[in-house]
Amino acid sequence: MFSMVIRERELFIKKEAILMRKRMCPYFKNKEGIIMRFLTKSLYMSGQQCPRLLWFSSRNQLPELSLYDQHKFAQGRDFEKYVKKLFPDGLDLGNLNYGENIKETQNLIRQSKTIFEACMVYKNLFFKGDILEPSADGWNLYEMKASTEVKKKKEYIPDLAFQKYICEKNGIKIINCFIEYINKDYIKQGNISPNELVLQEDVTGEVNQIDDIEENSEKYIETMEQAKPPEVSISKKCNRPYECPLKDECRSNLPEYHVLQLTNWRKYWELFEEGILDIKDIPKDEIFSSNKDRVIKEAVDGNRIIINKDKIRCFLKELQYPFYYLDFETFDTAIPIFDQSRPYQKISFQYSLHVQDENNKVKHFDFLAQREKDPRPELLVRLEKEIGQSGSVIVFNKTFEIGVLNKLAEDFPKYESFITHTIDRIIDLAEPFKNYDYYNPIQKGRYSLKAVLPAITGKDYSDLEIDNGTDASMKYFYSHIKADLKNVDEIRNNLLKYCGLDTEGMIWIIEELNRMVS
């Protein structure tokens, strides 16, 4: 079974591997015949985040892309197709090799043609731009981002500034810089309308304020040419602007219970910068602004579980039979697939529902959509029949479930009354753990279901082929919607097991909480 899954995954990523090779760091030989690496715009942005990330990226030595990472790249390419439709005269050079592309780019520039995927070099700097468009006084530079916002994405500006710098060193005057991004309010009705899907932001002013491209480039090239990766302390940049793929490796030498597991990020970075890495080494008289951090410290120091029985009793008293333990699985895409849906909207394709009565008798219902069609209408029909009109609807992390339900009510108004009534009955089982009314040191600062279940019951997801929501989403999408994975029956079976454990696990947690406070 496992070997079949591996083969299917290899077939799926074959296309991605071909595309990723095109993004690898190009090389050239200097006058001494020594192979040198070009600094590309993606490597430049890696350097902006961390020199260690830059070094490993330049050698294509990052960890293997996850299915989700590959999905994100695919969403970007899907968006690019619709942006290009807004430039009907554009000529695409994306399939040419680097040398051919550079020559053809110069040829098309002389003809004042709009170019997709134009390549240019200056010394040992290289970029492949998204769109280069002639204007009356020079050229416009466009960057395509499969994002629904620009204002908060400060990393987009140096990306464009790097491209502008290389263009102007090639004698190409850049007049305006734009970012093409996704209209989050776009609702699909029939064929996708590029004019409505794509929004544009003029960032010329911000780009023109960047004046350190040359200085940074020289520094980053020196880093790339080092024989060994630079030693860099972990910092806030491990998660900014994106979570670094080297994060786990760089943190592997931290103590088992380290200060970054605390909840107050300002406090844990303060302790880290003071050289205090282990929670046990935090002074006993340290003042914590958060009670949660005091609980974590107490639990680690005493190697014991902390339980606030009074708070847990109050929580359990809120529950009313019958109990409906509910969990959704969803996927999202940059370009909406189904009518009456939006970019990156979470489309629910599966749920698990365990129903427990006053006598502790349990029934299980589940739904897993079939292939290709919009799963939401059938899901709503089934859920309305199975969830009942009274009793607590127990979820883990109500923000997610309520968000899914609210979107369903918005998109399918005839179910609004039923959905509103269901939302009013929701109880969030995560609350006692978010509030640290229960804390086991093995949670390591986390309160997700995947952390809480083993901490309180000793059971986990390790025996499952699919053991997390991200993999569930990707396996469904690429087997049922895109049809890239062929072992559909096996994937469906694994999805049912995974989602079923999410709701059955909540039953076990409630049982353990009752036992603890009885």
Side-chain angles (χ1 to χ4, degrees), residues 222-439:
E222 287 180 7
T223 298
M224 289 162 56
E225 293 176 353
Q226 292 178 15
K228 296 181 180 180
E231 295 297 327
V232 179
S233 175
I234 61 177
S235 70
K236 299 172 187 176
K237 285 197 169 185
C238 295
N239 295 309
R240 296 180 183 174
Y242 306 105
E243 184 170 322
C244 176
L246 300 172
K247 178 179 171 180
D248 289 342
E249 178 189 329
C250 292
R251 299 188 178 198
S252 61
N253 292 325
L254 289 175
E256 182 179 9
Y257 301 111
H258 54 77
V259 295
L260 303 186
Q261 294 164 5
L262 298 175
T263 63
N264 185 332
W265 66 268
R266 290 184 177 86
K267 186 64 177 178
Y268 67 60
W269 282 121
E270 177 186 314
L271 292 167
F272 185 85
E273 289 164 4
E274 290 175 5
I276 300 174
L277 306 184
D278 197 317
I279 290 174
K280 293 179 180 178
D281 293 334
I282 300 173
K284 299 290 185 183
D285 59 353
E286 184 71 42
I287 298 175
F288 291 104
S289 60
S290 165
N291 180 63
K292 299 173 182 179
D293 289 339
R294 285 193 289 271
V295 170
I296 292 174
K297 169 69 172 167
E298 183 180 346
V300 171
D301 282 354
N303 190 28
R304 66 188 184 91
I305 296 170
I306 306 295
I307 305 172
N308 188 326
K309 293 187 176 182
D310 289 339
K311 290 287 185 67
I312 290 175
R313 285 192 189 97
C314 289
F315 171 80
L316 293 172
K317 285 180 181 178
E318 295 180 34
L319 304 180
Q320 298 178 9
Y321 284 104
F323 299 163
Y324 293 90
Y325 299 89
L326 176 64
D327 179 72
F328 288 114
E329 301 299 334
T330 65
F331 69 83
D332 59 73
T333 56
I335 310 301
I337 297 173
F338 307 116
D339 284 353
Q340 207 60 35
S341 66
R342 302 157 185 74
Y344 292 115
Q345 179 175 337
K346 295 191 179 302
I347 302 295
S348 47
F349 64 86
Q350 180 180 12
Y351 68 75
S352 175
L353 182 69
H354 275 87
V355 184
Q356 184 179 29
D357 66 17
E358 294 182 58
N359 299 315
N360 289 326
K361 290 183 178 179
V362 177
K363 293 181 180 179
H364 183 224
F365 303 93
D366 56 27
F367 170 83
L368 178 57
Q370 296 297 326
R371 301 179 71 165
E372 297 175 356
K373 65 179 182 178
D374 188 343
R376 296 172 296 169
E378 187 180 353
L379 179 146
L380 282 166
V381 170
R382 288 275 300 276
L383 186 62
E384 186 176 29
K385 288 179 180 178
E386 294 170 354
I387 203 165
Q389 295 297 310
S390 63
S392 295
V393 177
I394 302 171
V395 302
F396 205 101
N397 184 12
K398 68 179 181 181
T399 302
F400 175 79
E401 257 71 26
I402 289 176
V404 169
L405 288 166
N406 276 329
K407 278 299 181 186
L408 287 169
E410 186 177 340
D411 296 337
F412 301 92
K414 72 176 184 177
Y415 292 96
E416 183 177 3
S417 176
F418 151 64
I419 291 173
T420 300
H421 179 62
T422 301
I423 290 174
D424 289 342
R425 294 156 53 201
I426 283 181
I427 300 290
D428 191 352
L429 181 52
E431 284 301 316
F433 307 100
K434 284 182 181 179
N435 296 328
Y436 288 68
D437 298 328
Y438 174 97
Y439 185 74

Side-chain angles (χ1 to χ4, degrees), residues 92-109:
D92 199 331
L93 306 184
N95 290 324
L96 299 180
N97 65 39
Y98 295 128
E100 293 172 340
N101 190 316
I102 291 168
K103 291 179 182 178
E104 187 60 18
T105 293
Q106 294 304 317
N107 179 42
L108 294 178
I109 286 172

Side-chain angles (χ1 to χ4, degrees), residues 17-179:
I18 293 171
L19 290 163
M20 288 306 297
R21 278 199 293 272
K22 294 183 178 180
R23 292 172 167 80
M24 288 183 177
C25 178
Y27 300 91
F28 69 99
K29 287 187 178 181
N30 66 10
K31 294 179 180 179
E32 291 75 32
I34 299 173
I35 293 178
M36 310 290 286
R37 292 173 175 83
F38 278 109
L39 179 67
T40 66
K41 66 173 185 176
S42 61
L43 290 175
Y44 184 89
M45 296 310 297
S46 293
Q48 292 274 286
Q49 182 164 354
C50 173
R52 187 174 176 84
L53 173 61
L54 168 63
W55 192 92
F56 280 98
S57 297
S58 71
R59 285 160 171 75
N60 303 307
Q61 292 179 10
L62 296 178
E64 181 184 356
L65 287 174
S66 68
L67 204 57
Y68 179 66
D69 290 330
Q70 295 166 34
H71 179 68
K72 288 192 293 185
F73 281 116
Q75 298 314 293
R77 290 192 297 275
D78 286 347
F79 176 59
E80 289 171 6
K81 294 174 187 176
Y82 290 98
V83 177
K84 289 177 179 179
K85 290 178 185 292
L86 300 177
F87 299 82
D89 297 328
L91 299 173
D92 199 331
L93 306 184
N95 290 324
L96 299 180
N97 65 39
Y98 295 128
E100 293 172 340
N101 190 316
I102 291 168
K103 291 179 182 178
E104 187 60 18
T105 293
Q106 294 304 317
N107 179 42
L108 294 178
I109 286 172
R110 286 191 290 271
Q111 299 177 48
S112 295
K113 299 289 188 180
T114 297
I115 312 169
F116 304 136
E117 309 288 340
C119 283
M120 289 185 212
V121 295
Y122 171 69
K123 295 183 178 179
N124 48 353
L125 308 184
F126 173 94
F127 95 99
K128 180 183 280 191
D130 288 344
I131 304 173
L132 195 60
E133 176 194 48
S135 67
D137 302 319
W139 292 80
N140 296 327
L141 189 61
Y142 296 82
E143 179 74 3
M144 297 183 279
K145 297 294 184 183
S147 171
T148 57
E149 60 181 9
V150 171
K151 297 293 186 184
K152 297 179 181 179
K153 298 292 186 180
K154 296 180 180 179
E155 72 273 13
Y156 295 166
I157 305 306
D159 186 334
L160 273 164
F162 177 80
Q163 299 176 51
K164 177 175 179 284
Y165 176 82
I166 296 176
C167 285
E168 295 189 336
K169 289 298 182 180
N170 277 271
I172 299 165
K173 184 179 181 182
I174 300 299
I175 303 300
N176 296 301
C177 295
F178 300 98
I179 293 175

Side-chain angles (χ1 to χ4, degrees), residues 8 12 331 337-338 347-350 367-378 474-493 495:
E8 291 289 356
F12 165 68
F331 69 83
I337 297 173
F338 307 116
I347 302 295
S348 47
F349 64 86
Q350 180 180 12
F367 170 83
L368 178 57
Q370 296 297 326
R371 301 179 71 165
E372 297 175 356
K373 65 179 182 178
D374 188 343
R376 296 172 296 169
E378 187 180 353
M474 294 296 94
K475 288 293 178 68
Y476 177 83
F477 182 76
Y478 285 102
S479 60
H480 286 64
I481 305 300
K482 297 290 284 186
D484 286 327
L485 300 177
K486 306 303 180 186
N487 54 326
V488 177
D489 290 342
E490 180 183 335
I491 289 173
R492 289 184 67 83
N493 184 50
L495 285 168

Side-chain angles (χ1 to χ4, degrees), residues 168-225:
E168 295 189 336
K169 289 298 182 180
N170 277 271
I172 299 165
K173 184 179 181 182
I174 300 299
I175 303 300
N176 296 301
C177 295
F178 300 98
I179 293 175
E180 308 294 294
Y181 67 107
I182 298 175
N183 177 8
K184 66 181 179 180
D185 297 320
Y186 174 75
I187 301 175
K188 182 180 183 297
Q189 296 289 1
N191 294 329
I192 297 290
S193 169
N195 286 301
E196 297 177 20
L197 173 71
V198 181
L199 296 179
Q200 180 175 286
E201 182 83 12
D202 186 336
V203 292
T204 308
E206 294 95 320
V207 171
N208 288 342
Q209 291 177 14
I210 303 292
D211 59 3
D212 57 358
I213 299 297
E214 185 172 358
E215 177 186 349
N216 286 340
S217 296
E218 291 175 357
K219 180 173 62 177
Y220 298 160
I221 289 167
E222 287 180 7
T223 298
M224 289 162 56
E225 293 176 353

